[in-house]
Amino acid sequence: MKDWMGKIRTLSVFSLMVVFLSACGRDNLTALVPKGYGAEESLRVIIITVIVMIVVFIVVMAIFIFVLMKYRQKKGQENMIPKQTEGNKTLEIVWTVIPILLLIVIAIPTVAVTYDLADETEKEDSLNINVTGKQFWWHFEYAEEQIQTSQDLYIPVGQKVYLNMLSSDVIHSFWVPSLSGKMDVNPDNENTMYIEAYEEGVYWGKCAEFCGDSHSLMDFKIVAVSQEEYDQWVTDMQNVDAEAVPESTTAQEGKALFEDSCLSCHAVGNTPSVGPNLSNFGDRSTIAGVLEHSEEELVEWILDPGSKKPGNGMLDAPYLEEKSVSEEDAEKIAEYLLQLKASEITPDSAQ
Amino acid sequence: MSTMVANNKRSFGSTLWDYLTTVDHKKIAILYLVAGGFFFIIGGLEALAIRWQLVKPMNDFVSAGLYNELITMHGTTMIFLAAMPLIFAFMNAVVPLQIGARDVAFPFLNSLGFWLFLFGGIMLNVGWITGGAADAGWTAYAPLSTTSPGEGVDYYVLGLQISGAGTLIGGINFLVTIVNMRAPGMTYMRMPLFTWTAFVASALILFAFPALTVGLFLMMFDRLFGSGFFDPNMGGNSVIWQHLFWIFGHPEVYILALPAFGIFSEIISTFSRKRLFGYSAMVFATVLIGFLGFMVWAHHMFTVGMGPAANSIFAVATMAIAIPTGIKIFNWLFTLWGGNIQINTPMLWSLGFIPTFTLGGMTGVMVAAASADYQFHDSYFVVAHFHYVIVGGVVFALFAATHYWWPKMFGKILNDTLGKVTFWLFFIGFHLTFFIQHFLGLMGMPRRYWVFLEDQGLDLGNAISTTGAFLMGLGTIVLLYNIVVTSVKGEKVGSDPWDARTLEWAIPSPPPFYNFKQLPLVRGLDPLWIEKTEGRKGMTPAEPISDIHMPNNSFLPFVMSLGFFIAGFGFIYQKYDLVWLSLVFIGMGIALGAMLMRSVKDDLGYHIHKEDLVKEAKE
């Protein structure tokens, strides 16, 4: 009998967990299942405040419901005039002092974690990455390693990585809910935050500060891989050969077309560029942060980027105005881009 | 009653002229109510369009550009053009009556305040028909706002500047009115709580709106005259805009919320048939909230990168506001305690407010915790939080006040059954819409997202949210139907249909244009209640019947506002062609000319003679 009860209990706890977890949203996106230091610390403060607040809510609701049940007007008593109480000093002191105590309970961890998350003492000895927010994509520069990349940010797991962030146009905000809270990316002054992923994985990042038409499509990914994989990725990226000749002839033609129409903004290799760096485009998890990584989508994107991401910078590209890239050309460019695989280490390595 | 009869006989033209020129606070209240109600419906339709766009992932109901205009205009409209004027409607309708005054201190300015607000509100919306409304969010963060193409944000800047001037004028007017025009015996600590909250809110307007005015002027120069206050490339600083905006913006929350608290205090006390519990603590809490409200603006900017010291200070200061707010909640609960609680529509809204606002306050403390806010900030959690506060606090109060003071303003009680239907539709719809958004935010949905991607676990929550929004819309339609039905069929009520406590219920519904024939003598808190418990029918007069001095109507406030409105177009379009500057000169000429006329022409008002008052009393 006892065993049976125990099983039921385990089962119900387990199913509750399942319901709870599925209600927490998508893994590697939701802030409710933290996978990194900042997210974990924030969630700790959130849980403390929620607990205190639920206690307050229960007290308020208990009084509220009691009062409504007990003192609601009864038939025949419409004209009853209750006692006109002015107040009650003791009660008023009680409900002033207790909230103060409760707020102290919340304030202490809040301040402690606020300072902890702003800690920059380890910055010098850690991996530093310069992050640039642009309408509507992200540029990542590994200054020391001399790597330029965009959209997919590779980091080693279990290490503090410092992000030095600046915007080149309007204000953006860098948010990877499952790894850490957000930090604004201002055009005026550099902001620094650190992230630390506990497990390997591809984490979803969002722009959280309203930045224009495609604000909702300014997604990026953080690819957390093991230290060895990360080191290999760095070496591979450093050795990207922008001049490498693709195998297939279509891709070769694509490369020529790309150099004609795209290279004025984009770059392959570790040179700075106005538009996204495409060195490892073939390894990306998405196109433009939000589209499925397929040739079909890429061709559509090249021919009509405005329909996928309104107001994005590619709309100013001369090839669109001149209509100099045909569908056939776009297919060739797509083939070239998709074979740009800089490294063995891809989002698939993050397991 | 004679004025009502006269009204019925009037032609439409003369009624219109009467409202265009009126300086009577009760008619200005009706103007605010109609205009605010109109903008509330516009803002509501924008909200429904937003929710419909988000009913499923990657929806294409509206384009990205239009969506951004919708969210910008929804926020701007609801705050500046619906909530503010509706609060002003009830302040105008009730405050002079509650303090036993015949009008506000500056009736002419009162009218000017309304017309400036209305023309500013129209200006904000003109963008819809000239090729795009403002699209940089209601917070208009630079540099997005300063670089937004077209004239949308220009309309935002000029429209808010004009309507903001109106609000500032209104606030000053109420401060002076409450300080100077209280009836004999109406000491500060005998003022009804709605008057107290209106008083503190007016003081907040006085200190908060100038920050907005300055910010808008700087932005106007950035956009229209090539300056670079907010442009980092020219040595400016975009974060300064955020400071200026929130130094205004946070007190603005209390400018709306405090009068809402006042409304609930009146209603809860009336329908519990009890004196407000802890009146002096309530007053103290109101003042304290108003004061602290100025010290917490940067909690909107925890992620800006102000550093841990500033973040911690603003976090703790913000949490402190929970204490006076908590005092208020408990005082309301203990007003109910031991009462004889009658549940009708205004009371239902007030009772619905308590749990709703408690939730809003709880999430308020949560977002105040800076290190937790790094996750909440700019996500749907924040959207949920401020809707719990502003809808659950302010809009519920406005609905409650509409039902509570409707008989005083129009002489008829709104249908109670329809009122309850409105409440339940709106209340359930509200919680359906916004409760789930707390979770959507934490699940990774940032706010102001035109579309959300598939496969992010956000589909169900958004669909539920949209369903709720339409229930709220349905509730509002029932209210409109109720207003029409009541206007046509409703029965007239006497001066005191609720057996209430404060002075406004001591005079006929609707009140005569001079309010009090004789100023009342106030002998304590809840003056009418005191007289009633002592067996008297009405207030004891504090003066013999004598001539009453009244202000003359004036068309000048309308003309001045129209002048600024015209000049606004000139300021905007001169960026394309300097010919448009002529509109600036014409508009400013009209406005300044009207001001000059007001200054040089003596307007001494007129007197209602004692004999007429006596005669009217005999009829």
Side-chain angles (χ1 to χ4, degrees), chain A residues 26 31 42 73 77 84 86 175 182 184 188 191 206-207 209, chain B residues 238 275 278 303-304 341 371 374-375 377 442 449 455-456 501:
Chain A
R26 191 187 199 282
S42 288
Q73 197 167 71
Q77 289 199 357
Q84 305 288 309
E86 275 189 35
W175 188 29
K182 57 190 79 64
D184 286 3
D188 318 70
N191 274 340
K206 302 268 175 191
C207 175
E209 180 60 65
Chain B
S238 65
R275 180 196 153 102
T303 65
V304 164
I341 304 170
S371 38
Y374 298 156
Q375 291 286 16
H377 182 81
L442 284 170
Y449 262 33
D455 192 27
Q456 297 187 115
R501 315 170 73 86

PDB file of all heavy atoms in Angstrom, chain A residues 26 31 42 73 77 84 86 175 182 184 188 191 206-207 209, chain B residues 238 275 278 303-304 341 371 374-375 377 442 449 455-456 501:
ATOM      1  N   ARG A  26      10.542  27.493 -24.299  1.00  0.00           N
ATOM      2  CA  ARG A  26      11.486  26.710 -25.070  1.00  0.00           C
ATOM      3  C   ARG A  26      12.840  26.674 -24.366  1.00  0.00           C
ATOM      4  O   ARG A  26      13.354  27.689 -23.923  1.00  0.00           O
ATOM      5  CB  ARG A  26      11.649  27.355 -26.438  1.00  0.00           C
ATOM      6  CG  ARG A  26      12.386  26.517 -27.414  1.00  0.00           C
ATOM      7  CD  ARG A  26      12.640  27.313 -28.676  1.00  0.00           C
ATOM      8  NE  ARG A  26      12.944  26.432 -29.787  1.00  0.00           N
ATOM      9  CZ  ARG A  26      14.127  25.853 -29.959  1.00  0.00           C
ATOM     10  NH1 ARG A  26      15.083  26.041 -29.096  1.00  0.00           N
ATOM     11  NH2 ARG A  26      14.337  25.075 -31.011  1.00  0.00           N
ATOM     12  N   ALA A  31      14.020  32.261 -19.745  1.00  0.00           N
ATOM     13  CA  ALA A  31      14.788  32.689 -18.566  1.00  0.00           C
ATOM     14  C   ALA A  31      14.452  31.836 -17.351  1.00  0.00           C
ATOM     15  O   ALA A  31      15.102  31.936 -16.322  1.00  0.00           O
ATOM     16  CB  ALA A  31      14.497  34.159 -18.274  1.00  0.00           C
ATOM     17  N   SER A  42      19.903  35.981 -11.520  1.00  0.00           N
ATOM     18  CA  SER A  42      18.668  36.761 -11.641  1.00  0.00           C
ATOM     19  C   SER A  42      17.467  35.941 -11.191  1.00  0.00           C
ATOM     20  O   SER A  42      16.591  36.439 -10.486  1.00  0.00           O
ATOM     21  CB  SER A  42      18.456  37.237 -13.086  1.00  0.00           C
ATOM     22  OG  SER A  42      19.377  38.251 -13.401  1.00  0.00           O
ATOM     23  N   GLN A  73     -23.649  43.429   2.477  1.00  0.00           N
ATOM     24  CA  GLN A  73     -24.973  43.837   2.927  1.00  0.00           C
ATOM     25  C   GLN A  73     -25.962  42.666   2.900  1.00  0.00           C
ATOM     26  O   GLN A  73     -26.038  41.940   1.919  1.00  0.00           O
ATOM     27  CB  GLN A  73     -25.490  44.929   1.999  1.00  0.00           C
ATOM     28  CG  GLN A  73     -26.637  45.706   2.567  1.00  0.00           C
ATOM     29  CD  GLN A  73     -26.870  46.956   1.739  1.00  0.00           C
ATOM     30  OE1 GLN A  73     -27.338  46.895   0.615  1.00  0.00           O
ATOM     31  NE2 GLN A  73     -26.523  48.098   2.297  1.00  0.00           N
ATOM     32  N   GLN A  77     -31.077  44.823   5.794  1.00  0.00           N
ATOM     33  CA  GLN A  77     -30.151  45.653   6.569  1.00  0.00           C
ATOM     34  C   GLN A  77     -29.656  46.847   5.761  1.00  0.00           C
ATOM     35  O   GLN A  77     -28.617  47.421   6.061  1.00  0.00           O
ATOM     36  CB  GLN A  77     -28.945  44.824   7.004  1.00  0.00           C
ATOM     37  CG  GLN A  77     -29.294  43.814   8.058  1.00  0.00           C
ATOM     38  CD  GLN A  77     -28.058  43.356   8.787  1.00  0.00           C
ATOM     39  OE1 GLN A  77     -26.953  43.747   8.468  1.00  0.00           O
ATOM     40  NE2 GLN A  77     -28.264  42.525   9.796  1.00  0.00           N
ATOM     41  N   GLN A  84     -18.489  54.058  12.850  1.00  0.00           N
ATOM     42  CA  GLN A  84     -17.575  54.859  12.033  1.00  0.00           C
ATOM     43  C   GLN A  84     -16.188  54.890  12.680  1.00  0.00           C
ATOM     44  O   GLN A  84     -15.870  55.787  13.439  1.00  0.00           O
ATOM     45  CB  GLN A  84     -18.129  56.279  11.881  1.00  0.00           C
ATOM     46  CG  GLN A  84     -19.552  56.336  11.326  1.00  0.00           C
ATOM     47  CD  GLN A  84     -19.616  55.994   9.854  1.00  0.00           C
ATOM     48  OE1 GLN A  84     -18.880  56.551   9.054  1.00  0.00           O
ATOM     49  NE2 GLN A  84     -20.503  55.072   9.491  1.00  0.00           N
ATOM     50  N   GLU A  86     -12.288  55.516  13.063  1.00  0.00           N
ATOM     51  CA  GLU A  86     -11.357  56.474  12.482  1.00  0.00           C
ATOM     52  C   GLU A  86     -10.076  55.817  12.006  1.00  0.00           C
ATOM     53  O   GLU A  86      -9.469  56.223  11.029  1.00  0.00           O
ATOM     54  CB  GLU A  86     -11.014  57.559  13.502  1.00  0.00           C
ATOM     55  CG  GLU A  86     -12.015  58.676  13.506  1.00  0.00           C
ATOM     56  CD  GLU A  86     -11.564  59.834  14.358  1.00  0.00           C
ATOM     57  OE1 GLU A  86     -10.350  60.104  14.391  1.00  0.00           O
ATOM     58  OE2 GLU A  86     -12.430  60.452  14.992  1.00  0.00           O
ATOM     59  N   TRP A 175      20.253  40.398 -25.316  1.00  0.00           N
ATOM     60  CA  TRP A 175      19.549  39.554 -24.341  1.00  0.00           C
ATOM     61  C   TRP A 175      19.582  38.093 -24.766  1.00  0.00           C
ATOM     62  O   TRP A 175      19.062  37.728 -25.817  1.00  0.00           O
ATOM     63  CB  TRP A 175      18.095  40.020 -24.191  1.00  0.00           C
ATOM     64  CG  TRP A 175      17.357  39.342 -23.069  1.00  0.00           C
ATOM     65  CD1 TRP A 175      17.884  38.844 -21.915  1.00  0.00           C
ATOM     66  CD2 TRP A 175      15.951  39.088 -22.983  1.00  0.00           C
ATOM     67  NE1 TRP A 175      16.901  38.321 -21.118  1.00  0.00           N
ATOM     68  CE2 TRP A 175      15.704  38.451 -21.737  1.00  0.00           C
ATOM     69  CE3 TRP A 175      14.871  39.345 -23.821  1.00  0.00           C
ATOM     70  CZ2 TRP A 175      14.425  38.063 -21.330  1.00  0.00           C
ATOM     71  CZ3 TRP A 175      13.597  38.974 -23.430  1.00  0.00           C
ATOM     72  CH2 TRP A 175      13.375  38.339 -22.181  1.00  0.00           C
ATOM     73  N   LYS A 182      19.662  41.285 -19.630  1.00  0.00           N
ATOM     74  CA  LYS A 182      20.069  42.069 -20.798  1.00  0.00           C
ATOM     75  C   LYS A 182      20.916  43.273 -20.432  1.00  0.00           C
ATOM     76  O   LYS A 182      20.982  43.695 -19.278  1.00  0.00           O
ATOM     77  CB  LYS A 182      18.839  42.493 -21.586  1.00  0.00           C
ATOM     78  CG  LYS A 182      17.824  43.276 -20.804  1.00  0.00           C
ATOM     79  CD  LYS A 182      16.531  43.442 -21.585  1.00  0.00           C
ATOM     80  CE  LYS A 182      15.625  42.236 -21.566  1.00  0.00           C
ATOM     81  NZ  LYS A 182      15.080  41.864 -20.251  1.00  0.00           N
ATOM     82  N   ASP A 184      21.896  47.134 -22.385  1.00  0.00           N
ATOM     83  CA  ASP A 184      21.685  47.982 -23.557  1.00  0.00           C
ATOM     84  C   ASP A 184      22.981  48.175 -24.331  1.00  0.00           C
ATOM     85  O   ASP A 184      24.063  48.205 -23.750  1.00  0.00           O
ATOM     86  CB  ASP A 184      21.133  49.351 -23.144  1.00  0.00           C
ATOM     87  CG  ASP A 184      19.675  49.272 -22.736  1.00  0.00           C
ATOM     88  OD1 ASP A 184      19.137  48.158 -22.726  1.00  0.00           O
ATOM     89  OD2 ASP A 184      19.089  50.322 -22.432  1.00  0.00           O
ATOM     90  N   ASP A 188      26.494  55.788 -27.512  1.00  0.00           N
ATOM     91  CA  ASP A 188      27.335  56.791 -26.860  1.00  0.00           C
ATOM     92  C   ASP A 188      28.536  56.182 -26.154  1.00  0.00           C
ATOM     93  O   ASP A 188      29.655  56.628 -26.296  1.00  0.00           O
ATOM     94  CB  ASP A 188      26.546  57.560 -25.798  1.00  0.00           C
ATOM     95  CG  ASP A 188      25.167  57.899 -26.260  1.00  0.00           C
ATOM     96  OD1 ASP A 188      24.357  56.961 -26.387  1.00  0.00           O
ATOM     97  OD2 ASP A 188      24.904  59.052 -26.513  1.00  0.00           O
ATOM     98  N   ASN A 191      29.229  49.569 -23.082  1.00  0.00           N
ATOM     99  CA  ASN A 191      28.763  48.834 -21.908  1.00  0.00           C
ATOM    100  C   ASN A 191      29.425  47.471 -21.876  1.00  0.00           C
ATOM    101  O   ASN A 191      29.606  46.846 -22.920  1.00  0.00           O
ATOM    102  CB  ASN A 191      27.251  48.633 -21.967  1.00  0.00           C
ATOM    103  CG  ASN A 191      26.497  49.819 -21.398  1.00  0.00           C
ATOM    104  OD1 ASN A 191      27.070  50.607 -20.646  1.00  0.00           O
ATOM    105  ND2 ASN A 191      25.245  49.948 -21.759  1.00  0.00           N
ATOM    106  N   LYS A 206      18.170  37.733 -28.342  1.00  0.00           N
ATOM    107  CA  LYS A 206      17.162  38.649 -28.889  1.00  0.00           C
ATOM    108  C   LYS A 206      17.637  40.080 -28.710  1.00  0.00           C
ATOM    109  O   LYS A 206      18.342  40.387 -27.749  1.00  0.00           O
ATOM    110  CB  LYS A 206      15.848  38.499 -28.111  1.00  0.00           C
ATOM    111  CG  LYS A 206      15.266  37.108 -28.102  1.00  0.00           C
ATOM    112  CD  LYS A 206      14.324  36.957 -29.234  1.00  0.00           C
ATOM    113  CE  LYS A 206      13.799  35.539 -29.349  1.00  0.00           C
ATOM    114  NZ  LYS A 206      13.095  35.330 -30.595  1.00  0.00           N
ATOM    115  N   CYS A 207      17.188  40.949 -29.594  1.00  0.00           N
ATOM    116  CA  CYS A 207      17.359  42.377 -29.336  1.00  0.00           C
ATOM    117  C   CYS A 207      16.165  42.811 -28.488  1.00  0.00           C
ATOM    118  O   CYS A 207      15.025  42.568 -28.844  1.00  0.00           O
ATOM    119  CB  CYS A 207      17.388  43.191 -30.617  1.00  0.00           C
ATOM    120  SG  CYS A 207      17.468  44.962 -30.274  1.00  0.00           S
ATOM    121  N   GLU A 209      15.792  46.085 -27.113  1.00  0.00           N
ATOM    122  CA  GLU A 209      15.449  47.511 -27.111  1.00  0.00           C
ATOM    123  C   GLU A 209      14.927  47.875 -28.489  1.00  0.00           C
ATOM    124  O   GLU A 209      15.595  47.656 -29.499  1.00  0.00           O
ATOM    125  CB  GLU A 209      16.664  48.373 -26.745  1.00  0.00           C
ATOM    126  CG  GLU A 209      16.402  49.881 -26.716  1.00  0.00           C
ATOM    127  CD  GLU A 209      15.334  50.274 -25.708  1.00  0.00           C
ATOM    128  OE1 GLU A 209      15.560  50.083 -24.514  1.00  0.00           O
ATOM    129  OE2 GLU A 209      14.266  50.772 -26.133  1.00  0.00           O
TER     130      GLU A 209
ATOM    131  N   SER B 238      22.532  60.350 -26.194  1.00  0.00           N
ATOM    132  CA  SER B 238      21.171  59.845 -26.376  1.00  0.00           C
ATOM    133  C   SER B 238      20.539  59.451 -25.035  1.00  0.00           C
ATOM    134  O   SER B 238      19.320  59.446 -24.900  1.00  0.00           O
ATOM    135  CB  SER B 238      21.185  58.656 -27.324  1.00  0.00           C
ATOM    136  OG  SER B 238      21.898  57.591 -26.744  1.00  0.00           O
ATOM    137  N   ARG B 275     -16.762  55.695   7.394  1.00  0.00           N
ATOM    138  CA  ARG B 275     -15.717  56.677   7.221  1.00  0.00           C
ATOM    139  C   ARG B 275     -14.444  55.971   6.738  1.00  0.00           C
ATOM    140  O   ARG B 275     -14.191  54.812   7.073  1.00  0.00           O
ATOM    141  CB  ARG B 275     -15.497  57.296   8.618  1.00  0.00           C
ATOM    142  CG  ARG B 275     -14.477  58.341   8.740  1.00  0.00           C
ATOM    143  CD  ARG B 275     -14.175  58.503  10.236  1.00  0.00           C
ATOM    144  NE  ARG B 275     -12.810  58.988  10.352  1.00  0.00           N
ATOM    145  CZ  ARG B 275     -12.523  60.261  10.602  1.00  0.00           C
ATOM    146  NH1 ARG B 275     -13.477  61.116  10.863  1.00  0.00           N
ATOM    147  NH2 ARG B 275     -11.270  60.655  10.632  1.00  0.00           N
ATOM    148  N   GLY B 278      -8.317  55.229   8.701  1.00  0.00           N
ATOM    149  CA  GLY B 278      -6.973  55.813   8.687  1.00  0.00           C
ATOM    150  C   GLY B 278      -6.829  56.973   7.719  1.00  0.00           C
ATOM    151  O   GLY B 278      -5.884  57.013   6.927  1.00  0.00           O
ATOM    152  N   THR B 303      19.071  48.763 -17.359  1.00  0.00           N
ATOM    153  CA  THR B 303      19.962  48.093 -18.301  1.00  0.00           C
ATOM    154  C   THR B 303      20.751  49.068 -19.160  1.00  0.00           C
ATOM    155  O   THR B 303      21.449  48.660 -20.082  1.00  0.00           O
ATOM    156  CB  THR B 303      19.172  47.156 -19.242  1.00  0.00           C
ATOM    157  OG1 THR B 303      18.303  47.964 -20.040  1.00  0.00           O
ATOM    158  CG2 THR B 303      18.349  46.156 -18.470  1.00  0.00           C
ATOM    159  N   VAL B 304      20.617  50.365 -18.866  1.00  0.00           N
ATOM    160  CA  VAL B 304      21.294  51.366 -19.695  1.00  0.00           C
ATOM    161  C   VAL B 304      22.809  51.318 -19.484  1.00  0.00           C
ATOM    162  O   VAL B 304      23.583  51.714 -20.334  1.00  0.00           O
ATOM    163  CB  VAL B 304      20.723  52.768 -19.399  1.00  0.00           C
ATOM    164  CG1 VAL B 304      21.631  53.861 -19.912  1.00  0.00           C
ATOM    165  CG2 VAL B 304      19.347  52.898 -20.027  1.00  0.00           C
ATOM    166  N   ILE B 341     -21.493  46.506   3.321  1.00  0.00           N
ATOM    167  CA  ILE B 341     -20.988  46.655   1.950  1.00  0.00           C
ATOM    168  C   ILE B 341     -22.076  46.407   0.916  1.00  0.00           C
ATOM    169  O   ILE B 341     -22.630  45.308   0.818  1.00  0.00           O
ATOM    170  CB  ILE B 341     -19.819  45.682   1.700  1.00  0.00           C
ATOM    171  CG1 ILE B 341     -18.720  45.914   2.743  1.00  0.00           C
ATOM    172  CG2 ILE B 341     -19.272  45.859   0.301  1.00  0.00           C
ATOM    173  CD1 ILE B 341     -17.642  44.851   2.733  1.00  0.00           C
ATOM    174  N   SER B 371      18.690  43.521 -10.202  1.00  0.00           N
ATOM    175  CA  SER B 371      19.332  42.334 -10.762  1.00  0.00           C
ATOM    176  C   SER B 371      18.323  41.328 -11.302  1.00  0.00           C
ATOM    177  O   SER B 371      18.660  40.501 -12.147  1.00  0.00           O
ATOM    178  CB  SER B 371      20.235  41.677  -9.710  1.00  0.00           C
ATOM    179  OG  SER B 371      19.633  41.744  -8.438  1.00  0.00           O
ATOM    180  N   TYR B 374      17.045  42.775 -14.921  1.00  0.00           N
ATOM    181  CA  TYR B 374      17.821  42.514 -16.138  1.00  0.00           C
ATOM    182  C   TYR B 374      17.091  41.500 -17.019  1.00  0.00           C
ATOM    183  O   TYR B 374      17.227  41.519 -18.230  1.00  0.00           O
ATOM    184  CB  TYR B 374      19.219  41.990 -15.792  1.00  0.00           C
ATOM    185  CG  TYR B 374      20.073  42.961 -14.997  1.00  0.00           C
ATOM    186  CD1 TYR B 374      21.112  42.516 -14.200  1.00  0.00           C
ATOM    187  CD2 TYR B 374      19.829  44.332 -15.058  1.00  0.00           C
ATOM    188  CE1 TYR B 374      21.901  43.402 -13.475  1.00  0.00           C
ATOM    189  CE2 TYR B 374      20.606  45.228 -14.337  1.00  0.00           C
ATOM    190  CZ  TYR B 374      21.631  44.759 -13.544  1.00  0.00           C
ATOM    191  OH  TYR B 374      22.397  45.634 -12.827  1.00  0.00           O
ATOM    192  N   GLN B 375      16.333  40.603 -16.388  1.00  0.00           N
ATOM    193  CA  GLN B 375      15.523  39.675 -17.177  1.00  0.00           C
ATOM    194  C   GLN B 375      14.171  40.285 -17.568  1.00  0.00           C
ATOM    195  O   GLN B 375      13.705  40.118 -18.681  1.00  0.00           O
ATOM    196  CB  GLN B 375      15.282  38.356 -16.413  1.00  0.00           C
ATOM    197  CG  GLN B 375      16.525  37.500 -16.232  1.00  0.00           C
ATOM    198  CD  GLN B 375      16.966  36.804 -17.515  1.00  0.00           C
ATOM    199  OE1 GLN B 375      16.562  37.153 -18.610  1.00  0.00           O
ATOM    200  NE2 GLN B 375      17.835  35.820 -17.373  1.00  0.00           N
ATOM    201  N   HIS B 377      13.227  43.490 -17.864  1.00  0.00           N
ATOM    202  CA  HIS B 377      13.236  44.748 -18.604  1.00  0.00           C
ATOM    203  C   HIS B 377      12.931  44.558 -20.089  1.00  0.00           C
ATOM    204  O   HIS B 377      13.467  43.658 -20.737  1.00  0.00           O
ATOM    205  CB  HIS B 377      14.609  45.417 -18.449  1.00  0.00           C
ATOM    206  CG  HIS B 377      14.702  46.745 -19.124  1.00  0.00           C
ATOM    207  ND1 HIS B 377      14.213  47.894 -18.560  1.00  0.00           N
ATOM    208  CD2 HIS B 377      15.176  47.109 -20.329  1.00  0.00           C
ATOM    209  CE1 HIS B 377      14.403  48.900 -19.385  1.00  0.00           C
ATOM    210  NE2 HIS B 377      14.975  48.463 -20.473  1.00  0.00           N
ATOM    211  N   LEU B 442       9.118  36.167 -19.421  1.00  0.00           N
ATOM    212  CA  LEU B 442      10.213  35.360 -18.893  1.00  0.00           C
ATOM    213  C   LEU B 442      10.581  34.208 -19.833  1.00  0.00           C
ATOM    214  O   LEU B 442      11.684  33.683 -19.795  1.00  0.00           O
ATOM    215  CB  LEU B 442       9.838  34.804 -17.518  1.00  0.00           C
ATOM    216  CG  LEU B 442       9.930  35.844 -16.400  1.00  0.00           C
ATOM    217  CD1 LEU B 442       9.322  35.321 -15.122  1.00  0.00           C
ATOM    218  CD2 LEU B 442      11.381  36.254 -16.176  1.00  0.00           C
ATOM    219  N   TYR B 449       7.501  43.625 -30.167  1.00  0.00           N
ATOM    220  CA  TYR B 449       7.824  42.685 -31.239  1.00  0.00           C
ATOM    221  C   TYR B 449       6.644  42.592 -32.189  1.00  0.00           C
ATOM    222  O   TYR B 449       5.552  42.209 -31.803  1.00  0.00           O
ATOM    223  CB  TYR B 449       8.165  41.307 -30.651  1.00  0.00           C
ATOM    224  CG  TYR B 449       9.656  41.075 -30.529  1.00  0.00           C
ATOM    225  CD1 TYR B 449      10.503  42.155 -30.257  1.00  0.00           C
ATOM    226  CD2 TYR B 449      10.226  39.821 -30.708  1.00  0.00           C
ATOM    227  CE1 TYR B 449      11.871  41.967 -30.163  1.00  0.00           C
ATOM    228  CE2 TYR B 449      11.595  39.624 -30.610  1.00  0.00           C
ATOM    229  CZ  TYR B 449      12.418  40.703 -30.342  1.00  0.00           C
ATOM    230  OH  TYR B 449      13.778  40.517 -30.251  1.00  0.00           O
ATOM    231  N   ASP B 455       7.880  28.009 -33.010  1.00  0.00           N
ATOM    232  CA  ASP B 455       8.679  27.053 -32.245  1.00  0.00           C
ATOM    233  C   ASP B 455       9.454  27.700 -31.096  1.00  0.00           C
ATOM    234  O   ASP B 455      10.592  27.366 -30.829  1.00  0.00           O
ATOM    235  CB  ASP B 455       9.659  26.334 -33.206  1.00  0.00           C
ATOM    236  CG  ASP B 455      10.297  25.125 -32.534  1.00  0.00           C
ATOM    237  OD1 ASP B 455       9.649  24.563 -31.627  1.00  0.00           O
ATOM    238  OD2 ASP B 455      11.430  24.776 -32.887  1.00  0.00           O
ATOM    239  N   GLN B 456       8.861  28.688 -30.455  1.00  0.00           N
ATOM    240  CA  GLN B 456       9.513  29.270 -29.288  1.00  0.00           C
ATOM    241  C   GLN B 456       8.685  29.076 -28.030  1.00  0.00           C
ATOM    242  O   GLN B 456       8.956  29.676 -27.001  1.00  0.00           O
ATOM    243  CB  GLN B 456       9.735  30.774 -29.490  1.00  0.00           C
ATOM    244  CG  GLN B 456      10.649  31.113 -30.636  1.00  0.00           C
ATOM    245  CD  GLN B 456      10.968  32.593 -30.668  1.00  0.00           C
ATOM    246  OE1 GLN B 456      12.094  32.994 -30.482  1.00  0.00           O
ATOM    247  NE2 GLN B 456       9.959  33.409 -30.889  1.00  0.00           N
ATOM    248  N   ARG B 501     -21.307  60.906   1.154  1.00  0.00           N
ATOM    249  CA  ARG B 501     -20.754  61.573   2.312  1.00  0.00           C
ATOM    250  C   ARG B 501     -20.194  62.964   2.044  1.00  0.00           C
ATOM    251  O   ARG B 501     -20.027  63.751   2.968  1.00  0.00           O
ATOM    252  CB  ARG B 501     -19.630  60.701   2.897  1.00  0.00           C
ATOM    253  CG  ARG B 501     -20.032  59.224   2.990  1.00  0.00           C
ATOM    254  CD  ARG B 501     -18.873  58.345   3.336  1.00  0.00           C
ATOM    255  NE  ARG B 501     -18.491  58.513   4.717  1.00  0.00           N
ATOM    256  CZ  ARG B 501     -19.038  57.850   5.733  1.00  0.00           C
ATOM    257  NH1 ARG B 501     -20.008  56.990   5.510  1.00  0.00           N
ATOM    258  NH2 ARG B 501     -18.632  58.053   6.962  1.00  0.00           N
TER     259      ARG B 501
END
